[in-house]
Amino acid sequence: MTDQRIPVTVLTGFLGSGKTTLLNRILTEKHGQRIAVIENEFGEVGIDQDLVINADEEIFEMNNGCICCTVRGDLIRILGNLARRRDKFDRIVLETTGMADPGPVAQTFFVDDDIKDEFCLDGIITLVDAGHIEQHIGSSTEVMAQIAFADLIVLNKSDLVNSTTLASLTGRLRDMNRMAQILPANMANVPLEKVLDVGGFNLDRALDTNPAFLEPEYPFEWGGIFRLKAGDYILAVDTGPDPDMSAIWIDAGQPQVELTELAEHVFRHFSHAAHPVGNADLITASDTHWKLQLASPIALTLQAPRDGCFALFTQHTPEEFDIRLYDINDQLCEPVTAHYFNANHTHDDEVSSVAFEFEGTLDPEKFNTWLSFLLRTDGADLFRMKGILAITGDDRRTVFQGVHMLFDNQPGAAWGDETPYNRLVFIGRNLNRDYLEGALKQCLS
């Protein structure tokens, strides 16, 4: 029987490999298919939707984190909404952040029952930048995972290297993933039938690459259930890293549930904005997500409205936060059950993004002079630059993109009645926000 589920194509690849270029080709060529697009980028300010050519397709953007971590809950929510409107489109293209391990993204289509019933993962397309991939193979776990999970590898920007280097790269990629087809390309000009109809993600290869592939991976490392009587308690937390926690209250009369059963439900809280709480705040045991303000150790009053169970999920282990729950008699409450979750997905903490948005027009000579200096001094640490620029004397947007020490700009749509603005994102190592912002504003006319 023909599979009636909605096919999903995942575009992945390290920063600047050409994912958005391929996406624009998919959206503008005549293939007769209606496409919904899900965009995700690593940064504070969404940029990629501005770089995608405006077409009839719907574009959903997520820019509050890595799609393989907290945003996966957002992905599930968007897919659920799309499933209810499936008559409006034929397929979905999902472009991940360049910092994403695609494994957890693919996992979503196999471990979430609702998603599995409505969608099929048609394939993972990994774009590789022929000119810069050697700098990242071996030093980036994300790049290695992107290549390993690919059903099709597009060896893009092949014109930037000679034939000997291209043959060597092809051989190295084939050693890393012998099942994927490898297509050389310039400007991501691969036949779209190779991209949109892969025929199914290779689950067997995914399990060979990672035997724990079908075991859910969560953005929290620990969970515990505390059985409480109605009343007030003190939740004491010392200073610690990434102080996000989620909690759920279970009334005593409700059926007993296992901690691991709650995990997928609570996980989705991590895709929503947390409620900030600080020292001496009152919190009510409920189905919620907190962001603790841990400039110093804090003590929160936890109010249990009735007898029941309080399940707490933390982004790091209790040992790192030194989390303690006391009753009104200062007696320490121990969890009746606890679980340490698999959280082996990490990012390079040195890699970050900074984003700027401001009005005014840039003097082209000043901007080009400063940019040339920046690339000479910091080009190796600048993985990606991209944005929309307003240039003095030009009534059109300038679409600006850069990868390491290479950059390019193209004319975009006219500003028309819109006030010109500049919106830029820099992604790299050891970025100096104050310097970048000050230098950019010095380039204003």
Side-chain angles (χ1 to χ4, degrees):
M1 295 180 61
T2 303
D3 194 336
Q4 297 299 312
R5 294 177 298 170
I6 302 166
V8 179
T9 299
V10 174
L11 300 183
T12 189
F14 202 62
L15 303 165
S17 58
K19 298 185 298 298
T20 303
T21 301
L22 179 55
L23 178 59
N24 278 327
R25 287 198 57 237
I26 293 172
L27 296 184
T28 55
E29 291 200 8
K30 294 181 180 180
H31 43 62
Q33 299 189 59
R34 299 169 300 168
I35 299 174
V37 177
I38 300 176
E39 278 276 355
N40 178 232
E41 193 47 85
F42 180 73
E44 308 160 345
V45 174
I47 274 287
D48 274 20
Q49 185 161 327
D50 290 334
L51 304 181
V52 174
I53 294 171
N54 190 20
D56 294 334
E57 288 77 6
E58 294 193 67
I59 299 177
F60 302 86
E61 186 173 37
M62 300 177 289
N63 67 327
N64 61 327
C66 175
I67 201 170
C68 47
C69 298
T70 61
V71 180
R72 190 164 65 90
D74 214 11
L75 170 62
I76 293 171
R77 177 181 57 81
I78 289 176
L79 288 173
N81 291 337
L82 286 172
R84 291 190 288 272
R85 304 162 55 200
R86 59 179 303 160
D87 60 319
K88 303 293 186 183
F89 56 90
D90 302 310
R91 67 186 309 123
I92 294 171
V93 175
L94 190 162
E95 181 188 352
T96 75
T97 163
M99 300 299 294
D101 174 348
V105 180
Q107 182 192 61
T108 303
F109 296 91
F110 295 94
V111 301
D112 186 283
D113 289 337
D114 293 336
I115 300 302
K116 184 168 54 176
D117 290 343
E118 295 287 345
F119 301 92
C120 63
L121 182 56
D122 182 63
I124 293 180
I125 315 301
T126 296
L127 284 94
V128 170
D129 180 346
H132 297 100
I133 187 63
E134 290 284 3
Q135 299 178 37
H136 304 297
I137 290 180
S139 63
S140 168
T141 56
E142 285 80 15
V143 168
M144 304 292 280
Q146 289 166 3
I147 294 170
F149 278 102
D151 297 293
L152 170 68
I153 297 173
V154 177
L155 186 50
N156 201 27
K157 305 183 184 180
S158 296
D159 56 325
L160 297 182
V161 298
N162 59 40
S163 58
T164 301
T165 301
L166 187 63
S168 175
L169 280 174
T170 302
R172 189 168 185 187
L173 294 171
R174 186 163 287 118
D175 286 341
M176 296 170 65
N177 184 339
R178 293 191 173 275
M179 299 299 292
Q181 183 180 8
I182 301 174
L183 294 178
N186 302 325
M187 298 296 293
N189 59 343
V190 291
L192 292 188
E193 63 270 17
K194 298 279 190 181
V195 175
L196 294 181
D197 292 299
V198 171
F201 172 70
N202 193 320
L203 180 60
D204 290 337
R205 188 180 68 250
L207 289 169
D208 287 341
T209 301
N210 176 14
F213 174 75
L214 293 179
E215 295 177 13
E217 183 176 310
Y218 298 114
F220 39 79
E221 291 190 31
W222 181 86
I225 293 180
F226 300 83
R227 187 169 290 120
L228 304 178
K229 296 288 187 182
D232 291 345
Y233 296 80
I234 298 297
L235 181 65
V237 186
D238 281 351
T239 303
D242 297 336
D244 282 64
M245 298 184 185
S246 276
I248 186 170
W249 177 256
I250 308 161
D251 284 339
Q254 291 182 236
Q256 184 67 35
V257 293
E258 296 294 331
L259 188 65
T260 51
E261 292 179 44
L262 293 174
E264 189 68 23
H265 173 76
V266 174
F267 158 70
R268 301 187 186 198
H269 292 306
F270 277 79
S271 70
H272 300 289
H275 301 288
V277 292
N279 191 39
D281 281 355
L282 171 68
I283 55 178
T284 302
S286 60
D287 192 358
T288 190
H289 177 195
W290 308 316
K291 187 174 185 67
L292 304 182
Q293 299 167 341
L294 295 182
S296 59
I298 61 176
L300 307 170
T301 300
L302 171 68
Q303 194 172 73
R306 297 167 292 280
D307 290 359
C309 291
F310 169 64
L312 180 67
F313 293 80
T314 64
Q315 198 166 350
H316 284 74
T317 65
E319 294 79 10
E320 293 176 86
F321 283 115
D322 194 16
I323 302 168
R324 303 169 306 283
L325 184 65
Y326 297 96
D327 64 16
I328 56 175
N329 298 315
D330 288 333
Q331 292 295 311
L332 183 65
C333 301
E334 297 286 355
V336 294
T337 184
H339 185 79
Y340 287 82
F341 292 92
N342 173 29
N344 58 9
H345 177 69
T346 60
H347 289 296
D348 184 345
D349 290 336
E350 291 183 355
V351 176
S352 64
S353 73
V354 294
F356 308 102
E357 184 170 358
F358 52 90
E359 293 183 356
T361 61
L362 295 168
D363 181 290
E365 185 174 344
K366 289 181 180 178
F367 180 73
N368 286 331
T369 300
W370 171 72
L371 185 61
S372 297
F373 173 76
L374 178 68
L375 295 177
R376 286 197 307 271
T377 57
D378 299 313
D381 286 335
L382 283 172
F383 294 164
R384 190 80 163 95
M385 300 172 290
K386 55 188 173 180
I388 306 297
L389 307 179
I391 301 297
T392 303
D394 193 337
D395 61 359
R396 298 170 299 177
R397 293 167 172 80
T398 295
V399 178
F400 168 77
Q401 301 207 51
V403 180
H404 286 295
M405 300 181 72
L406 301 176
F407 71 94
D408 179 54
N409 58 273
Q410 299 289 336
W415 289 110
D417 295 332
E418 189 175 0
T419 301
Y421 61 85
N422 300 278
R423 182 184 294 158
L424 297 96
V425 171
F426 296 83
I427 303 174
R429 284 195 175 94
N430 307 313
L431 299 177
N432 185 327
R433 169 186 286 277
D434 292 339
Y435 165 71
L436 291 171
E437 183 175 23
L440 281 167
K441 292 186 175 179
Q442 286 291 320
C443 297
L444 289 171
S445 296

